[in-house]
Amino acid sequence: MKKLINDPADYVEEMLDGLCQAHPGLKCVGEDRRAITRAAPIREGKVGVVSGGGSGHLPLFTGYVGEGLLDACAIGNVFEGPTINSCQDAIEAANGGAGVLCLFGNYGGDRMNFEMASEFAAINNIETRTVLGTDDIASAPIDEAHKRRGVAGLIFAYKTAGALAERGGNLDAVEAIARKTGERTRTIGVALSSCQIPGAAAPNFTIADNEIEMGMGIHGEPGIWRRPIRPADELVDEMIAMLLAERPADSERVSILVNSLGSTPFEELFILFRRAKQQLETARLTVVRPLVGPYVTSMEMGGASISLCFLDDQIEDLLSAPADCPFWRMG
């Protein structure tokens, strides 16, 4: 798999340098320059919202640093979690004196390093809370939802938590809305082709040209089945059925994200969205604020994911609030 890179060892640093030069509202901070924050200092008294994870998923994670979203983000090597130091740097950069919410996917290395960074933050009198993204329904059954991975649906929690923090919500309230949004969000993905980490000798996984895998994770974690490729409508019908099986009883309105995992083009995403919207309306759900595009990728992986955020009045209001980052603008 060909890549437009220099030395693979410099991949992350050169990417971050280019990101911040292209978007002057961002800057790198910390000794190892692996935390991205807003160029403008955080407002005194504002709750900070921080995330983090491995490179290779842009716009996730660093691409969502901006007004109404994240205040700072720690970034690791490709498909590797951020270090304790970069997590500390992100928390410190997001500290406005009102506490910091750490909001990231449910992966072991990320949890461990953010937990230790939060302990160091407490020594410096920075209060932190943690909310994990657990939206990937393929990664564990509903009765073990706490074990599920966090994937594309995490950005809905970024949006609601970021909006409430921007409005002046306290740490308890920002934590609560992030948790509620996560609990009302579900994602399922389908992979068509693999990706390759810069400098690696081979792709992350192999899949035949005539095959497709349902439920594969964004790092190539095994899915729930691998079969010959089928028409898009049939795949969407199955994906929506799985997502609606966990529909909250009070849901009448839903926001949908049809997301490219890297190389799947907009044209194919709109074919998927078209069918998904039909199925949601058949299920008597009103579609609000649809998102279609590469919001959470996995290098050049082929495939797509569908996320549903089952709305209530508070979540819908916060999803509509102004936001401004390099990859997502509202209002």
Side-chain angles (χ1 to χ4, degrees):
M1 295 183 180
K2 300 175 182 178
K3 296 184 182 291
L4 296 172
I5 62 173
N6 297 305
D7 188 331
D10 298 328
Y11 181 83
V12 177
E13 281 69 23
E14 291 181 352
M15 175 273 293
L16 294 176
D17 184 36
L19 175 68
C20 292
Q21 289 194 44
H23 300 282
L26 305 179
K27 65 178 181 180
C28 292
V29 297
E31 184 176 347
D32 60 5
R33 313 291 288 174
R34 286 293 190 92
I36 297 292
T37 185
R38 303 189 203 181
I42 188 169
R43 185 176 76 244
E44 189 67 25
K46 177 189 176 299
V47 170
V49 182
V50 163
S51 191
S55 297
H57 300 301
L58 274 173
L60 199 70
F61 296 88
T62 51
Y64 294 119
V65 174
E67 181 182 353
L69 290 155
L70 302 178
D71 293 284
C73 186
I75 193 73
N77 292 328
V78 177
F79 295 1
E80 295 179 11
T83 65
I84 297 171
N85 286 343
S86 59
C87 293
Q88 286 182 262
D89 291 335
I91 290 171
E92 290 173 6
N95 177 35
V100 175
L101 174 68
C102 299
L103 176 58
F104 54 93
N106 187 24
Y107 297 92
D110 298 1
R111 291 198 312 268
M112 179 180 67
N113 288 348
F114 266 107
E115 181 179 349
M116 295 183 70
S118 295
E119 292 174 359
F120 286 119
I123 295 172
N124 294 322
N125 297 314
I126 302 173
E127 183 180 4
T128 62
R129 306 282 178 82
T130 295
V131 174
L132 300 176
T134 56
D135 55 301
D136 184 359
I137 64 172
S139 55
I142 184 63
D143 58 347
E144 295 182 314
H146 64 283
K147 296 181 180 179
R148 287 176 169 174
R149 301 182 292 251
V151 286
L154 181 63
I155 70 167
F156 287 110
Y158 284 178
K159 184 68 181 65
T160 57
L164 188 56
E166 210 73 57
R167 290 179 179 178
N170 63 26
L171 185 57
D172 286 342
V174 174
E175 176 192 15
I177 190 59
R179 196 174 303 281
K180 179 170 72 169
T181 304
E183 289 171 350
R184 296 177 70 90
T185 301
R186 303 287 187 272
T187 300
I188 185 72
V190 63
L192 287 77
S193 62
S194 187
C195 61
Q196 187 164 324
I197 294 173
N204 269 27
F205 61 90
T206 58
I207 185 168
D209 289 344
N210 67 336
E211 289 184 325
I212 195 164
E213 183 157 345
M214 182 71 73
M216 181 171 283
I218 59 173
H219 305 106
E221 299 95 336
I224 53 179
W225 58 250
R226 181 177 292 197
R227 297 173 186 164
I229 194 165
R230 292 150 51 193
D233 284 1
E234 292 183 18
L235 290 167
V236 171
D237 291 352
E238 181 171 350
M239 295 166 81
I240 293 295
M242 287 190 284
L243 295 170
L244 291 183
E246 299 188 13
R247 173 183 179 177
D250 64 347
S251 62
E252 297 180 353
R253 296 165 70 81
V254 65
S255 184
I256 179 173
L257 165 61
V258 179
N259 172 63
S260 170
L261 290 174
S263 66
T264 298
F266 273 99
E267 288 87 347
E268 294 174 27
L269 298 180
F270 284 118
I271 290 171
L272 301 179
F273 172 75
R274 161 195 155 275
R275 182 64 171 190
K277 186 172 184 289
Q278 291 173 357
Q279 293 296 80
L280 293 172
E281 290 174 344
T282 298
R284 300 184 181 277
L285 281 163
T286 300
V287 176
V288 178
R289 296 279 179 198
L291 303 171
V292 180
Y295 283 80
V296 175
T297 65
S298 184
M299 303 295 290
E300 68 274 31
M301 185 185 292
S305 62
I306 298 176
S307 301
L308 298 182
C309 181
F310 297 98
L311 306 176
D312 64 9
D313 290 343
Q314 183 188 26
I315 293 174
E316 184 172 347
D317 174 55
L318 293 168
L319 288 181
S320 301
D324 188 1
C325 75
F327 299 93
W328 193 1
R329 290 180 173 86
M330 293 283 292

